[in-house]
């Protein structure tokens, strides 16, 4: 009985129950709104499966991920540098606060339109990712660097460690978990923003967002392809989350 | 697949005063036996057939060079077009790496303003505004689509005549489709109509009601969506061809989407491009298989062109319902100005016309 209870309440099984619940909810909604507007899960999964046999789908996934990685990497470098600048410097922190608030508050769609004008349709999703990810990563770096206890830093100072040594050997290793959490939450948001950027930019170059927009333009009355490509994006994001979570656990264990 | 364009003696004898088949004003079907390849099909078109039904307005400077039998190679230009009917006319350039499309026409305007493209296809009003109001360094060279909007009947209207009291759904009321409807049928019917977007229009025609469950008697819808919903039955559901109605009322064509060329691009390349484009469109109207095959060069043509090649084939094969055609802008200033007046845009000046 105890073993049965343990099995039923196993976290992976509960995750599975939650997934089934989402699919059931989706199916009920498709019945209420009729399947022309909200396609049912079965036909969506079937169509997604068909799309996954096409080389173009993988080309598009690759293109979207490439733009995401480029934008995210640029954002991380900028956020990290800014985080280092404001480390132990309250005045600089306050100086950059309005800029970060601006980045957080500006509507993403407005950003994409602006970047289309400043740059081009191809690059506008990358730039949108940069602007969206910077404040999240910046706060993660700042919080991580601040999390180190003052006693530890004072002790290191007394022992003769300079600022750079304290940063490299104490602050950065201690801020690792903060930065990783920030990376994970910024990454999944950036992926959504990147796809949205492709949709708004209207570019028909390969990309998941371009595929979604293209299918919508090609047959506006058929929502099935849009749902199918969105499902592929969701599954992809889930896979990335699982992989990064696994890698994070491995790195933690090795430290 | 078309690689070069032009090529045979007969093609080169077209005079510049003629224009391509426009759905409203001239016959849309060519009496030719056009086949797949360019050189073969053009050699079968006699110049007399071209002059009476379909012909190509070739830029004057090219007419001499086009009279040789050497194929004019497609120039390598940076071209951008909105998805849909405007991009379909460029099917012959599908294999060109410089040809891109965008599903949001408004997003093409920045590339016109900063002059990064050699050729930009845009709705005529949007392109003219970019030149006149935003000093985009372009000139209008030609118009390549002449309207693709139709009034479809759902079959629920008892008397079968669209009049006051009928429930009408209009695609994009404040944009060109709605403005055309208003100019043809008047304010009363226009004001009482329900506005829908492209997906809404297709849904209305499919189900006979809007997404909010309001019954609809007539739907203003564009091709190839109309053909996609009704397939081979499209003619029996057609109540009116807006292009023809507009022409009946005003004796004018709808200069819907136009070609704008960069002032800095080499003239010979532009002329070669326009020559190829005019010929592609003429051949495509005569033989829609060419368009379908040209589109299918792309890996995902329904994404790149914004529409499925099969639907384009069906719509073009059924009387050029996409409204493809080619007319040099410089020869049709009056028609363009009259069309622009629909949008409240002032008459254009000669300086913005490519010569």
């Amino acid at each position: 009985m105890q073993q049965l209870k343990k099995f039923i309440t196993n976290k992976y099984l509960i995750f599975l129950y939650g997934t089934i619940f989402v699919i059931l909810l989706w199916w009920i909604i498709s019945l209420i709104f009729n399947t022309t507007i909200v396609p049912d899960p079965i036909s969506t999964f079937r169509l997604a499966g068909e799309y996954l046999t096409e080389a173009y789908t993988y080309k598009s996934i690759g293109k979207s991920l490439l733009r995401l990685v480029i934008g995210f990497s640029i954002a991380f470098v900028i956020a990290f540098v800014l985080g280092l600048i404001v480390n132990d410097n309250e005045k600089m922190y306050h100086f950059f606060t309005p800029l970060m608030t601006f980045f957080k508050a500006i509507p993403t769609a407005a950003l994409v339109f602006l970047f289309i004008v400043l740059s081009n349709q191809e690059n506008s999703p990358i730039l949108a990712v940069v602007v969206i990810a910077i404040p999240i990563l910046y706060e993660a770096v700042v919080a991580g660097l601040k999390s180190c206890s003052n006693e530890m830093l004072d002790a290191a100072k007394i022992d003769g460690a300079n600022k750079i040594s304290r940063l490299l050997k104490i602050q950065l290793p201690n801020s690792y978990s903060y930065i990783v959490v920030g990376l994970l939450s910024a990454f999944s948001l950036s992926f959504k923003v990147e796809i949205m950027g492709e949709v708004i930019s209207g570019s028909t170059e390969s990309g998941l967002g371009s595929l979604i927009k293209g299918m919508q333009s090609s047959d506006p009355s058929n929502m099935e392809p849009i749902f199918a490509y969105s499902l592929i994006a969701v599954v992809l994001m889930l896979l990335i989350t699982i992989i990064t979570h696994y890698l994070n656990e491995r790195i933690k264990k090795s430290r | 697949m078309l690689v070069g364009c032009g090529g045979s003696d007969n093609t080169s004898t077209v005079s510049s005063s003629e224009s391509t088949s426009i759905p409203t004003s001239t016959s849309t079907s060519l009496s030719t036996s056009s086949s797949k390849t360019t050189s073969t099909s053009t050699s079968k078109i006699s110049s007399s057939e071209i002059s009476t039904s379909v012909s190509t307005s070739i830029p004057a400077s090219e007419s001499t060079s086009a009279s040789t039998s050497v194929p004019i190679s497609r120039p390598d230009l940076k071209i951008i077009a909105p998805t849909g009917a405007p991009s379909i006319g460029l099917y012959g350039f599908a294999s060109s790496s410089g040809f891109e499309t965008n599903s949001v026409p408004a997003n093409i305007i920045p590339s016109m303003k900063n002059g990064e493209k050699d050729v930009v296809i845009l709705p005529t009003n949007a392109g003219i505004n970019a030149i006149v109001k935003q000093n985009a360094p372009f000139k209008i060279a030609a118009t390549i689509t002449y309207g693709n909007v139709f009034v479809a009947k759902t079959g629920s209207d008892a008397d079968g005549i669209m009049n006051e009291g009928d429930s009408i759904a209009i695609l994009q009321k404040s944009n060109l489709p709605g403005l055309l409807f208003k100019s043809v049928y008047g304010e009363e019917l226009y004001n009482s109509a329900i506005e829908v977007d492209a997906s809404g229009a297709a849904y209305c025609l499919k189900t006979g009601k809007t997404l909010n469950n309001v019954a609809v008697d007539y739907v203003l819808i564009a091709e190839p969506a109309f053909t996609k919903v009704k397939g081979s039955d499209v003619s029996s559901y057609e109540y009116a061809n807006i292009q023809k109605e507009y022409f009946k009322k005003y004796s004018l064509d709808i200069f819907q989407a136009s070609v704008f060329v960069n002032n800095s691009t080499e003239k010979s390349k532009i002329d070669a491009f326009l020559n190829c484009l005019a010929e592609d469109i003429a051949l495509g109207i005569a033989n829609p298989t060419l368009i379908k095959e040209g589109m299918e060069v792309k890996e995902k043509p329904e994404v790149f062109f914004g529409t499925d090649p099969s639907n384009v084939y069906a719509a073009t094969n059924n009387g050029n319902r996409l409204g493809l055609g080619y007319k040099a802008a410089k020869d049709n200033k009056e028609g363009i100005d009259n069309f622009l007046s629909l949008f409240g845009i002032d008459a254009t000046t000669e300086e913005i016309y490519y010569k």
Side-chain angles (χ1 to χ4, degrees):
Chain A
M1 195 63 187
Q2 197 80 327
Q3 275 189 327
L4 181 66
K5 191 180 174 184
K6 211 176 173 184
F7 174 73
I8 291 168
T9 54
N10 173 276
K11 64 178 178 182
Y12 296 108
L13 266 182
I14 293 174
F15 179 84
L16 183 63
Y17 302 151
T19 306
I20 293 168
F21 170 72
V22 166
I23 294 172
L24 275 173
L25 192 64
W26 172 4
W27 180 61
I28 291 166
I29 291 171
S30 76
L31 290 174
I32 294 169
F33 284 99
N34 101 46
T35 51
T36 312
I37 302 164
V38 180
D40 65 274
I42 295 169
S43 54
T44 305
F45 272 93
R46 188 170 40 228
L47 189 58
E50 277 175 32
Y51 289 151
L52 285 171
T53 63
E54 292 172 9
Y56 194 82
T57 304
Y58 295 97
K59 194 175 161 188
S60 298
I61 290 171
K63 209 67 185 279
S64 289
L65 286 175
L66 180 64
R67 290 190 189 113
L68 171 64
V69 165
I70 292 171
F72 197 76
S73 304
I74 295 170
F76 181 70
V77 168
I78 295 172
F80 193 75
V81 168
L82 289 177
L84 292 179
I85 291 170
V86 306
N87 180 32
D88 290 339
N89 193 331
E90 280 296 309
K91 287 181 183 154
M92 288 307 289
Y93 180 77
H94 291 305
F95 179 78
F96 282 114
T97 298
L99 179 66
M100 293 302 151
T101 309
F102 172 78
F103 282 157
K104 279 186 228 175
I106 191 166
T108 315
L111 278 176
V112 176
F113 289 132
L114 174 68
F115 291 139
I116 287 170
V117 174
L118 292 175
S119 168
N120 60 34
Q121 298 126 39
E122 235 348 73
N123 294 333
S124 55
I126 297 174
L127 296 170
V129 165
V130 171
V131 173
I132 291 302
I134 282 177
I136 303 170
L137 293 169
Y138 167 80
E139 293 296 343
V141 171
V142 168
L145 292 172
K146 273 187 180 167
S147 69
C148 197
S149 73
N150 286 329
E151 288 83 17
M152 207 187 294
L153 290 170
D154 289 340
K157 221 185 210 174
I158 290 165
D159 283 346
N162 61 25
K163 196 170 182 184
I164 292 173
S165 291
R166 292 197 304 270
L167 176 71
L168 291 173
K169 290 181 181 166
I170 300 173
Q171 284 182 293
L172 280 177
N174 272 288
S175 61
Y176 170 79
S177 51
Y178 286 83
I179 294 174
V180 166
V181 167
L183 277 170
L184 287 173
S185 62
F187 196 76
S188 40
L189 177 63
S190 300
F191 190 44
K192 284 205 302 196
V193 164
E194 196 281 324
I195 291 177
M196 187 181 64
E198 285 175 9
V199 172
I200 294 174
S201 75
S203 170
T204 55
E205 293 299 306
S206 53
L208 275 173
S210 302
L211 272 175
I212 290 171
K213 178 66 182 164
M215 291 322 232
Q216 189 266 342
S217 302
S218 165
D219 187 1
S221 62
N222 184 6
M223 293 298 289
E224 224 171 81
I226 296 166
F227 270 68
Y229 281 120
S230 301
L231 180 64
I232 291 171
V234 165
V235 169
L236 181 63
M237 199 58 232
L238 267 172
L239 278 170
I240 291 170
T241 307
I242 290 168
I243 292 168
T244 48
H245 183 75
Y246 172 75
L247 285 171
N248 186 35
E249 294 294 311
R250 287 293 299 260
I251 291 168
K252 264 189 193 167
K253 276 184 186 157
S254 67
R255 287 179 73 237
Chain B
M1 178 59 215
L2 298 172
V3 177
C5 59
S8 81
D9 294 333
N10 285 336
T11 316
S12 65
T13 57
V14 176
S15 85
S16 59
S17 62
E18 292 152 318
S19 57
T20 9
S21 165
I22 309 303
T24 52
S25 53
T26 62
S27 154
T28 57
S29 57
L30 257 186
S31 51
T32 71
S33 49
S34 307
S35 65
K36 244 162 101 164
T37 62
T38 317
S39 53
T40 317
S41 55
T42 52
S43 66
K44 287 180 181 173
I45 303 171
S46 73
S47 49
S48 60
E49 282 172 328
I50 290 173
S51 64
T52 52
S53 52
V54 174
S55 58
T56 307
S57 176
I58 297 175
S61 62
E62 276 300 315
S63 57
T64 321
S65 55
S67 58
T68 66
S69 58
V70 176
I72 301 165
S73 58
R74 288 180 187 275
D76 192 19
L77 295 172
K78 289 187 208 157
I79 308 164
I80 187 164
T83 53
S87 63
I88 289 162
L90 281 91
Y91 70 92
F93 291 87
S95 54
S96 163
S97 58
F99 176 31
E100 57 179 276
T101 57
N102 194 297
S103 55
V104 183
N107 291 348
I108 294 176
I109 295 172
S111 50
M112 203 175 164
K113 269 190 72 183
N114 59 32
E116 65 189 44
K117 301 292 178 193
D118 298 306
V119 178
V120 172
I121 316 293
L122 270 179
T124 308
N125 55 307
I128 297 288
N129 268 336
I131 294 172
V132 170
K133 292 185 181 167
Q134 298 173 46
N135 298 317
F138 281 76
K139 287 186 169 36
I140 181 170
T143 302
I144 59 170
T145 69
Y146 295 85
N148 56 339
V149 184
F150 297 80
V151 178
K153 52 189 179 192
T154 59
S156 55
D157 187 22
D159 65 3
I161 299 167
M162 188 171 71
N163 47 26
E164 211 185 315
D166 289 332
S167 176
I168 307 167
I170 290 186
L171 169 69
Q172 295 174 16
K173 229 172 157 180
S174 45
N175 288 337
L176 180 63
L179 294 176
L180 285 174
F181 183 91
K182 185 173 162 183
S183 67
V184 170
Y185 292 105
E187 294 236 7
E188 233 175 278
L189 283 182
Y190 172 82
N191 288 336
S192 63
I194 307 161
E195 180 167 17
V196 291
D197 60 10
S199 57
Y203 184 82
C204 284
L205 188 55
K206 222 187 251 185
T207 61
K209 53 188 178 185
T210 65
L211 287 162
N212 299 330
N213 261 327
V214 174
V216 166
D217 301 313
Y218 298 94
V219 184
L220 183 75
I221 189 167
E223 283 287 11
F226 192 0
T227 298
K228 176 139 182 111
V229 173
K230 288 301 178 191
S232 52
D233 262 348
V234 71
S235 303
S236 48
Y237 283 90
E238 181 183 314
Y239 177 77
N241 177 327
I242 291 288
Q243 290 66 237
K244 285 186 175 158
E245 297 304 314
Y246 187 84
F247 188 81
K248 265 190 224 166
K249 198 167 177 180
Y250 301 105
S251 299
L252 290 166
D253 289 315
I254 296 167
F255 288 81
Q256 191 178 20
S258 294
V259 180
F260 297 88
V261 297
N262 195 322
N263 298 340
S264 321
T265 304
E266 230 176 282
K267 189 165 171 28
S268 58
K269 284 188 173 177
I270 295 290
D271 289 343
F273 166 79
L274 293 172
N275 185 39
C276 286
L277 179 61
E279 190 161 333
D280 286 344
I281 290 173
L283 290 170
I285 292 169
N287 182 6
T289 308
L290 291 176
I291 299 180
K292 182 169 183 279
E293 287 172 354
M295 289 173 72
E296 285 170 346
V297 164
K298 284 291 177 189
E299 233 175 318
K300 205 88 172 156
E302 62 270 44
V303 173
F304 186 85
F305 289 99
T307 185
D308 192 90
S310 308
N311 292 333
V312 170
Y313 172 82
T316 313
N317 203 34
N318 189 11
N320 189 14
R321 295 174 69 82
L322 288 176
L324 300 176
Y326 183 99
K327 269 187 180 175
K330 65 181 170 55
D331 301 327
N332 294 281
K333 183 180 177 307
E334 192 193 331
I336 290 171
D337 286 340
N338 277 303
F339 173 73
L340 292 174
S341 66
L342 270 179
F343 301 90
I345 299 173
D346 293 337
T348 53
T349 56
E350 290 287 340
E351 288 82 45
I352 70 165
Y353 287 81
Y354 179 77
K355 291 177 172 93

